[in-house]
Amino acid sequence: MAVHFSILLLLSGVTGICSITTVRKVSVKTGKSISIPCLYSSENTDKVKYLCEGYSWHSCTFVAQTNQPQNSDKFSITDDKTQRIFTVTISKLDKSNNNFWCVSGVQGSYIREYFYLSVTKGESSLYTEEQNYVGYIGENITIKCFSKVTGVKKWCRLGGPCVTDSIRDGAIHGTTVTINTSVPGGFNVTMSKLRSESEGWYYCEAGDFQMPVYIRVQNRPETTSSTLEKQEKRFSFDLKTLLIPPGLLILIVTMTISIWLILKRRRGKAEASATTEAVSAAEDVTYINWTGNRQ
Ligand SMILES: *[C@@H]1O[C@H](CO)[C@@H](O)[C@H](O)[C@H]1NC(C)=O
């Protein structure tokens, strides 16, 4: 047991498992909010996670932590222990919200990683329309990363591999990634044939800016069959409205027959008067008698 433990310790020391991985520099607009994912090594799963604000680690202030109720509408923190990622969200960004640390552990043995927020009034250097996307298993998803920054464009899994625009076609965890830089205003990233393992935090990279994006992967809701059901329902509803109650049917038939009879009678009368008019020119008496008989 003790041997196993020391081997584990040795391994973690050698491979640098005991760490936090996050983005380095993110560009955001004043007043907006941003979520930053911090990936941690497994031995930190049950430790407290913090967000610390300040340029220097020694003088930064803990502004959110997972073991304390969060009643700030400026900072929040959530911990996904399955993915080993805690996410810090900073809202209503202003120019002074620049320097932060993702932190885990207890006093005396903290592990930490720094990130920088470039908060500007104008357009961000690198941004996406959203930070949360939903993709479906077996399908493709395209994310547009808006950027005018020159330099290498990348798409990376947080803590995982990256695909660069010079390769154009690469793969991340069995999913093909294509970067298209011939798109006005930025570049498109397409992930093909999503799998459930594809779910997680990624980021676009342009120059030294990064933009984190969460991709949720799920089964496509059965829209085709449910719309079919709806159509069926609507069809039966139409049929029902088409079905005329028997009473009404009898009434309609009676009225139709009556109208038909009246019309027939009138036409008969009209025809009769037309012929009698012609005749009446010659013989007045016949006309009077004839119509008299008819009525
Ligand atoms: C890249 O995007 C442009 C603009 O949307 C499109 O015309 C072109 O076909 C795309 N290239 C590839 C290889 O998909």
Side-chain angles (χ1 to χ4, degrees):
M1 190 63 199
V3 177
H4 277 149
F5 187 66
S6 52
I7 287 174
L8 267 177
L9 263 179
L10 193 75
L11 272 177
S12 64
V14 169
T15 56
I17 292 172
C18 192
S19 64
I20 290 183
T21 308
T22 187
V23 287
R24 289 184 309 268
K25 186 176 174 184
V26 179
S27 172
V28 247
K29 253 186 166 172
T30 315
K32 300 271 177 189
S33 68
I34 187 90
S35 292
I36 304 291
C38 311
L39 173 73
Y40 53 86
S41 43
S42 53
E43 67 282 350
N44 283 284
T45 307
D46 295 318
K47 302 231 169 91
V48 180
K49 318 296 186 311
Y50 314 79
L51 172 66
C52 202
E53 184 176 26
Y55 177 71
S56 156
W57 162 244
H58 297 286
S59 61
C60 73
T61 316
F62 286 139
V63 286
Q65 56 194 77
T66 50
N67 65 341
Q68 271 182 15
Q70 292 162 43
N71 36 29
S72 152
D73 57 355
K74 175 96 179 165
F75 304 103
S76 69
I77 190 165
T78 56
D79 191 3
D80 179 349
K81 295 188 178 189
T82 321
Q83 296 228 31
R84 285 191 283 109
I85 290 175
F86 69 93
T87 306
V88 295
T89 303
I90 305 144
S91 307
K92 296 176 199 149
L93 284 156
D94 64 64
K95 273 200 296 193
S96 65
N97 299 130
N98 302 126
N99 306 290
F100 294 94
W101 298 82
C102 294
V103 185
S104 172
V106 288
Q107 197 165 8
S109 65
Y110 287 125
I111 57 162
R112 58 191 196 264
E113 195 58 51
Y114 172 83
F115 67 88
Y116 178 78
L117 297 185
S118 165
V119 186
T120 50
K121 270 207 171 129
E123 192 172 280
S124 305
S125 302
L126 173 64
Y127 63 99
T128 49
E129 251 154 23
E130 318 194 18
Q131 270 200 286
N132 290 291
Y133 289 87
V134 176
Y136 300 107
I137 290 173
E139 297 185 20
N140 299 353
I141 189 169
T142 298
I143 284 127
K144 180 161 184 186
C145 305
F146 295 86
S147 182
K148 292 185 182 119
V149 173
T150 53
V152 180
K153 310 290 189 296
K154 282 187 190 174
W155 176 254
C156 308
R157 176 126 190 179
L158 183 68
C162 293
V163 172
T164 54
D165 59 336
S166 55
I167 303 169
R168 236 181 55 86
D169 272 356
I172 294 178
H173 296 184
T175 297
T176 307
V177 177
T178 312
I179 297 180
N180 186 348
T181 48
S182 344
V183 173
F187 59 101
N188 275 1
V189 175
T190 302
M191 294 180 70
S192 308
K193 295 203 185 86
L194 289 173
R195 309 171 342 151
S196 50
E197 307 92 281
S198 314
E199 170 156 339
W201 278 101
Y202 294 81
Y203 56 88
C204 298
E205 190 172 300
D208 60 348
F209 288 100
Q210 296 168 329
M211 178 64 204
V213 160
Y214 190 81
I215 299 181
R216 183 178 306 286
V217 178
Q218 58 192 41
N219 282 309
R220 179 173 275 287
E222 290 179 16
T223 45
T224 43
S225 67
S226 65
T227 45
L228 216 89
E229 245 172 52
K230 256 187 219 155
Q231 271 169 1
E232 258 168 30
K233 263 186 202 150
R234 210 169 57 203
F235 186 55
S236 60
F237 178 70
D238 282 346
L239 268 184
K240 261 184 224 147
T241 57
L242 280 177
L243 284 179
I244 299 157
L248 190 62
L249 192 73
I250 290 166
L251 190 73
I252 288 171
V253 169
T254 321
M255 278 176 69
T256 315
I257 292 173
S258 315
I259 290 166
W260 179 70
L261 277 176
I262 290 165
L263 281 176
K264 201 185 160 191
R265 217 166 139 181
R266 274 199 186 164
R267 207 188 308 148
K269 230 197 234 174
E271 273 167 15
S273 61
T275 39
T276 47
E277 249 168 18
V279 176
S280 70
E283 222 175 291
D284 265 353
V285 186
T286 321
Y287 165 70
I288 292 156
N289 277 348
W290 196 82
T291 41
N293 280 346
R294 281 281 289 193
Q295 282 163 348

